[in-house]
Amino acid sequence: MSVSTAFAGGWEKLPTPLTPWILDVISSMGHTQMTPVQASTIPLFMRHKDVVVEAVTGSGKTLAFVVPILEKLVRRERRLAKTEIGALVISPTRELATQIHSIFSLFLSSQPTSRQSLSPDEPSGSNVQLDSEPTYPPPLLVMSSDSAPVQDLQRFLSTGADIVIGTPGRIEELLLGKGSNIVSVKELEILVLDEADRLLDLGFQAVLTRILSHLPKQRRTGLFSATMTDADAMSELVRVGLRNPARIVVKVQSKKTKGMNASVQGEKEVVEERRIPANLQNFYMSCRASEKMLQLVRIIRHEVNQQQSSRFIVYFATCACVDYFYRVLSPLMPPGTDLFSLHGHLPPSARTKTLSNFTNSVALPTSPSILLATDVAARGLDLPDVDVVIQFDAPTDTKSFSHRCGRTARAGRKGRAWVLLVGREADYVEFMAVRKIPLKQKHRFSHDGSVVDQSDEDEDDPEVQSVVTIIRQKLLADRALHDKAAKAFVSFARAYSKHEASYIFRLKDLDLVGLAKSFGLLRLPRMPELKEVSTDGWADADLNWESYMYADKAQEAKRLAEAASKPTRSVEEIERRRAARVEKRKANTAWSSQSRRQEEREKRRDKKDRKKRWQKTQTSPGSESAEVKRGEGVPPSGSDEGDDWEDLAREERAAKRVKQGHLSQTEFDAEFADL
């Protein structure tokens, strides 16, 4: 059952009427009514209030600060000088900064023109034709992909931009570096931190502190995000300089009351029930590690054939995974599929180009477009017409979950999101439910698209091996793909071991061998995580590694040269040496452990023998001493035997505590190992 997005009335209902040309641009964008976050934020921001805004993805937060910034600048009594900045917008990523810049550019390119002022020497009744120019200059985008800091400063001086948008590092360079004596912030009206929690979490605290200390205190500040909890935002408010801010929270109500509401903290209490858009259907699928890639393919086929979906985003854990699967997934996808790759290790220009190509691609059910991405594409990006989001790997940062899902079901559209969970990862469902992100279970798909019967869910899918074979065929064509496969697998294991929900995502519980099948590896990589793992059910590809070639001739020549410089060894010899090293290590480990235990047993036996001998001497007729009477069998404190007896008694008491659970075995060994 779909739930429609609730709106908060027309733009004309704002307490302060908007400037006509700004209202015209909003109408041309198709926004005939305000969303709740816009209706709540814009009036406050326009009447000099600091705001902290938390709203689900796709709820219209960008316009909620773009419109007030433009209105503040339009209503200024004095135009800003060429070296003065009126508004500053800081974003955590280049992609989001570019998107915000494009929205400002759309507004400012549509503004009316004004006639240039006559020179003082020109008579007022002159009929000289004057050129017209925009009232406000275009915004300035500063980020490392387009230009150097010196070029940013040159563009600022040439355009006289009133609005500057950029990432923290480049903003700092413009204000405190190359332009410290040129760019003036004395007239700054508004500062906006978009995706504020991400800015505060990504290590930008020091940079932001320096920027904020440079800005005038008499300004309006807005913090905007979709996942900004009380602790995230309020604990940082003093540091970022907000004064008595209004907290605006948009909640998605339960299905009984449908829709979205917004309120301002202090005026009406709002409790958010869901942290995902109301129109989003959020599913999870539990499967074996070996079936993960197979189920991804079947979900895409199901969405294309049954739901007529055409535009997808698939999220992976690491850049190496995106880079690898981008190169090997084509044979598994529906015919005519266009794949796109986006991750943080790509050059900025390539990332911008990929986003543009994916956005502008002609996506149809007969030729779907699929973007493979990391979390670099999770926050803030307004990618139109995304029908489905699939999380191949659950995000390390749980906040990213809702941001990933929010790339679909935006601005009232319907959308679906899937996440694949392996083994005990199913506990993640309860983990997300606590965070107001409900997930509905979907059973695995069979080869014909039907749902697998629950009684058969514990059986291996026979099509897993065919997927492995298809991927391996791609890898066999180029040794470079094998290198990327191993790198992707290792990077995934490293990321998995650092998962934020480490009590759910435990590497020792993950079927790494099954996952290697899902990756289509030719052989298992050498890594510590696999040393103690059983390889039953795994078979390396039938391959002559000596003749396995790189497609790139220069790379292959380098490999051959390195091979020629090394002593020649057969594959059997290498494996034999490797097996010998493993056996030797096991033998040494076993011997050292056994030897230590034997020494401890001998020490205890010796102490018991000495105790018995001492007791016999003390119980002989006529040998009883005053000290023994007083201590009732305890030897004199000054004797060596007495010391040993006390140690033994203490050790026995500690052993009882270990059995009772009051003392750990580790603590016991540390205390008595040398006795």
Side-chain angles (χ1 to χ4, degrees), residues 533-585:
V533 173
S534 172
T535 57
D536 294 343
W538 173 263
D540 289 347
D542 186 10
L543 172 65
N544 184 345
W545 288 91
E546 295 296 324
S547 59
Y548 185 27
M549 300 173 58
Y550 288 99
D552 182 81
K553 294 182 178 180
Q555 199 171 7
E556 175 62 16
K558 181 180 179 181
R559 183 188 74 86
L560 293 175
E562 291 177 350
S565 64
K566 295 180 180 179
T568 303
R569 291 177 182 171
S570 64
V571 176
E572 292 78 9
E573 175 67 12
I574 293 173
E575 292 300 325
R576 187 185 66 78
R577 287 172 176 264
R578 181 184 178 187
R581 287 195 301 270
V582 171
E583 290 299 324
K584 183 178 180 181
R585 185 166 56 249

Side-chain angles (χ1 to χ4, degrees), residues 612-625:
K612 289 179 180 179
R613 290 196 302 270
W614 180 86
Q615 285 178 330
K616 287 180 180 179
T617 61
Q618 299 302 312
T619 57
S620 298
S623 64
E624 192 172 81
S625 64

Side-chain angles (χ1 to χ4, degrees), residues 589-604 669 673:
T589 302
W591 178 86
S592 63
S593 178
Q594 184 178 1
S595 176
R596 186 178 65 254
R597 289 196 297 268
Q598 179 65 25
E599 290 177 358
E600 291 174 355
R601 283 197 296 268
E602 290 177 356
K603 288 181 180 179
R604 289 193 179 96
D669 293 341

Side-chain angles (χ1 to χ4, degrees), residues 37 52-61 96 193-198 223-229 232 247-252 272 274-277 378-380 398-407 410 435-437:
V37 68
V52 178
V53 181
E54 180 183 0
V56 294
T57 57
S59 58
K61 292 188 294 294
L96 183 53
L193 304 182
D194 198 18
E195 297 298 340
D197 63 319
R198 192 64 172 163
L223 276 65
F224 292 78
S225 184
T227 54
M228 190 158 49
T229 62
D232 292 325
R247 181 166 173 79
I248 300 168
V249 181
V250 172
K251 71 172 183 177
V252 179
E272 188 175 0
R274 295 180 64 186
R275 292 183 180 272
I276 56 175
R379 284 179 172 256
T398 53
K399 290 182 184 178
S400 297
F401 191 96
S402 59
H403 286 281
R404 287 178 173 186
C405 297
R407 295 317 99 202
R410 298 180 67 82
R435 285 152 178 78
K436 309 302 181 184
I437 301 176

Side-chain angles (χ1 to χ4, degrees), residues 98-246:
T98 302
Q99 178 178 292
I100 296 169
H101 176 264
S102 66
I103 295 174
F104 275 112
S105 298
L106 175 62
F107 276 91
L108 293 175
S109 64
S110 304
Q111 65 180 308
T113 57
S114 61
R115 301 186 68 190
Q116 292 180 346
S117 301
L118 294 171
S119 64
D121 299 331
E122 196 71 38
S124 60
S126 173
N127 292 323
V128 177
Q129 182 67 37
L130 299 175
D131 295 329
S132 61
E133 64 174 4
T135 305
Y136 298 95
L140 176 68
L141 177 65
V142 292
M143 59 184 195
S144 58
S145 61
D146 291 337
S147 59
V150 174
Q151 294 172 313
D152 289 340
L153 182 59
Q154 292 173 346
R155 288 191 294 118
F156 172 74
L157 293 175
S158 63
T159 61
D162 294 345
I163 305 169
V164 175
I165 308 112
T167 50
R170 295 305 287 269
I171 293 287
E172 181 188 23
E173 185 65 32
L174 180 69
L175 301 183
L176 305 175
K178 300 295 183 181
S180 59
N181 297 322
I182 300 173
V183 181
S184 173
V185 295
K186 292 181 179 179
E187 296 295 322
L188 186 79
E189 295 269 2
I190 293 180
L191 166 69
V192 169
L193 304 182
D194 198 18
E195 297 298 340
D197 63 319
R198 192 64 172 163
L199 283 168
L200 298 174
D201 290 343
L202 275 181
F204 291 129
Q205 290 91 337
V207 176
L208 289 174
T209 299
R210 290 191 291 270
I211 293 174
L212 295 168
S213 62
H214 182 69
L215 302 180
K217 294 182 179 179
Q218 297 298 322
R219 65 171 191 271
R220 300 280 63 79
T221 303
L223 276 65
F224 292 78
S225 184
T227 54
M228 190 158 49
T229 62
D230 289 348
D232 292 325
M234 302 306 289
S235 64
E236 297 292 342
L237 292 185
V238 174
R239 189 186 64 77
V240 300
L242 276 74
R243 297 177 301 173
N244 192 25

Side-chain angles (χ1 to χ4, degrees), residues 252-403:
V252 179
Q253 295 179 341
S254 62
K255 291 184 178 180
K256 294 181 180 179
T257 53
K258 300 180 185 179
M260 300 168 66
N261 286 328
S263 71
V264 180
Q265 185 170 323
E267 297 178 11
K268 183 188 295 184
E269 184 67 22
V270 173
V271 179
E272 188 175 0
E273 298 181 9
R274 295 180 64 186
R275 292 183 180 272
I276 56 175
N279 288 4
L280 175 65
Q281 293 178 293
N282 215 0
F283 304 120
Y284 77 93
M285 178 182 289
S286 295
C287 64
R288 292 172 175 266
S290 58
E291 297 179 15
K292 205 172 180 183
M293 181 53 61
L294 176 62
Q295 291 303 325
L296 170 66
V297 173
R298 289 177 177 174
I299 289 173
I300 292 175
R301 290 175 180 170
H302 167 79
E303 288 288 348
V304 169
N305 297 330
Q306 303 298 324
Q307 303 294 335
Q308 298 298 299
S309 303
S310 58
R311 202 178 296 275
F312 298 76
I313 301 179
V314 182
Y315 287 101
F316 293 90
T318 68
C319 299
C321 289
V322 172
D323 189 41
Y324 167 61
F325 285 117
Y326 170 68
R327 300 169 190 274
V328 300
L329 279 185
S330 293
L332 298 171
M333 294 293 104
T337 298
D338 289 328
L339 292 178
F340 301 87
S341 169
L342 181 66
H343 57 80
H345 289 172
L346 290 173
S349 57
R351 288 158 58 177
T352 302
K353 183 178 179 181
T354 296
L355 276 176
S356 176
N357 291 342
F358 175 69
T359 301
N360 298 323
S361 62
V362 179
L364 301 170
T366 54
S367 56
S369 293
I370 302 177
L371 176 67
L372 311 182
T374 59
D375 283 339
V376 73
R379 284 179 172 256
L381 296 182
D382 188 16
L383 302 174
D385 306 327
V386 173
D387 301 305
V388 181
V389 167
I390 304 175
Q391 302 190 59
F392 188 78
D393 307 312
T396 302
D397 178 5
T398 53
K399 290 182 184 178
S400 297
F401 191 96
S402 59
H403 286 281

Side-chain angles (χ1 to χ4, degrees), residues 478-499:
D478 185 1
R479 189 166 185 148
L481 288 179
H482 158 72
D483 295 345
K484 289 184 179 295
K487 182 179 179 181
F489 184 80
V490 172
S491 72
F492 172 82
R494 299 287 192 270
Y496 198 92
S497 66
K498 299 176 183 177
H499 202 286

